[in-house]
Amino acid sequence: MPPLLASPVLAIFLALSAGEPSLSQLFSRAKEEFRLGSYDKALQTLSQLEAESLKPGSEELRPTLEPAVVFYEGACYAALGKGAEARSRFQTYLVSHPNAALDPAIYSKKVIAAFEEARKSLGHVENRPAEKGSLALAYAAFPKTDRSGSLGENWAEGPVRFLMTPEEKRAFSRLLDSVARSEYVTAFWKARDPKPETNENEFRDELEKRAAFADARFAQGETKGSQTDRGMVFILLGPPTYVGRKPLTSGEDATDASALFQYRPSDVKAASLSGGTTSQRAARIDRVTGPGTKTNDAASNWREVWHYRHELLPRGIPYLQVDFEFVTKQGYGENVLQRDTQALDTLEKAKARLRQSAA
């Protein structure tokens, strides 16, 4: 039985203390907020800590820091009753610290239960992957996809939509029964088998594993993870080199340069319309533009950035690094991909290469 740890990230804390003081201070603050039960505040501090670690000069500390962040994120989510989020973070942590165990005198039953569930679902990882990013570690440990179940009429609208040509989509839509669809799918994947002489189809296995991982990790409400913007990027490119996340604050939103407003421009326009007395009109305008109408709530507004170094990008993409930004903002959306020119060009080239696999 592994020894009980009061803090599974003690060694990480010591490493941080030897580096940038601001990182160790933020880490200590997050731990204290967690100890006091201020889990939302701790999550905000952890986001700030991760953002600080992305600044130049912290490159060597980043691989050491990531397990600490995901562990305390998992602990906070577990304490808040968000089991799925907690388990995914703990899975990532356990890949790099498989023998860690929690002291019940320190951590609540909720945290320990989520931690052990993550260990059970993760299983034993024989070979630790070379990638350092937390998503890469979690993906390497993700179990193989189970293909059991019948094919539905919406198969072409799933992850394979990135592979299918318009002609293939039309051909599939004309199939009327499950047998015909099954035969079509078998032929579809056979045409994309890089090693037809073997029993495995590595191309299919990889795509389906990426889609299953996206469903498990990036779901948003009732939307499957593979149908989200983050899911799309993950399916097309795989795990990024590393991920950064920080609060979205005033002046940082490209769609709202002045600040983060609670009211839409249409609300301001409606309030400005004539009607009533001058004082009444002024009161309406003040209600939607005055104090208290801007929000800097880091728990509801943030930017998540996936960084892909050149070696992880498909062949033929000229950029040394491509960054994909996902913005979450009240009234705007959750993890919405920002349509940057390099990002869109990279995705289009990735789709083209996938479609060429059948050629």
Side-chain angles (χ1 to χ4, degrees), residues 72-327:
Y72 272 103
E73 283 181 342
C76 289
Y77 282 126
L80 290 169
K82 299 181 179 181
E85 292 91 337
R87 286 190 295 273
S88 69
R89 267 59 171 192
F90 283 149
Q91 285 175 345
T92 301
Y93 175 77
L94 283 165
V95 170
S96 56
H97 297 75
N99 296 321
L102 304 187
D103 188 343
I106 304 295
Y107 299 99
S108 69
K109 291 181 179 179
K110 281 185 178 180
V111 174
I112 293 175
F115 192 80
E116 292 307 319
E117 286 175 16
R119 188 197 306 279
K120 188 179 298 183
S121 62
L122 191 62
H124 179 65
V125 182
E126 297 260 345
N127 300 308
R128 182 175 173 180
E131 295 93 343
K132 296 298 184 182
S134 58
L135 271 182
L137 290 170
Y139 180 63
F142 196 73
K144 187 176 180 179
T145 306
D146 181 9
R147 290 180 187 152
S148 60
S150 59
L151 293 169
E153 299 177 3
N154 297 327
W155 175 77
E157 299 173 12
V160 292
R161 68 188 184 278
F162 302 122
L163 280 66
M164 300 181 79
T165 63
E167 293 77 14
E168 288 173 324
K169 291 179 181 178
R170 284 193 292 269
F172 184 81
S173 68
R174 290 194 290 266
L175 302 177
L176 302 178
D177 60 83
S178 60
V179 174
R181 288 193 291 268
S182 179
E183 291 174 349
Y184 181 93
V185 171
T186 299
F188 177 88
W189 287 118
K190 185 176 180 180
R192 291 163 171 79
D193 190 349
K195 298 178 181 178
E197 69 277 6
T198 66
N199 293 328
E200 299 293 325
N201 185 331
E202 295 81 3
F203 181 81
R204 179 181 184 179
D205 290 345
E206 177 64 17
L207 186 96
E208 291 183 343
K209 181 181 176 182
R210 289 183 185 183
F213 182 86
D215 285 338
R217 185 84 181 221
F218 307 129
Q220 295 174 189
E222 296 183 0
T223 303
K224 296 176 66 174
S226 57
Q227 300 288 330
T228 65
D229 284 352
R230 289 189 300 173
M232 173 186 65
V233 174
F234 193 90
I235 290 170
L236 290 173
L237 299 176
T241 307
Y242 61 96
V243 176
R245 179 171 165 176
K246 65 176 182 177
L248 187 66
T249 57
S250 297
E252 292 188 331
D253 185 6
T255 64
D256 181 7
S258 57
L260 294 171
F261 285 95
Q262 294 180 357
Y263 294 96
R264 299 168 298 180
S266 59
D267 297 322
V268 178
K269 184 176 181 180
S272 303
L273 295 176
S274 59
T277 65
T278 302
S279 60
Q280 288 173 334
R281 180 171 177 269
R284 290 199 305 270
I285 295 174
D286 185 67
R287 190 180 308 117
V288 295
T289 63
T293 61
K294 299 174 183 178
T295 176
N296 293 324
D297 181 9
S300 303
N301 305 281
W302 67 81
R303 176 189 289 112
E304 183 171 301
V305 185
W306 291 13
H307 306 271
Y308 285 86
R309 295 291 297 166
H310 181 75
E311 60 270 16
L312 292 185
L313 296 171
R315 290 194 303 273
I317 294 177
Y319 313 118
L320 293 178
Q321 178 170 305
V322 179
D323 297 337
F324 293 85
E325 289 195 3
F326 305 93
V327 168

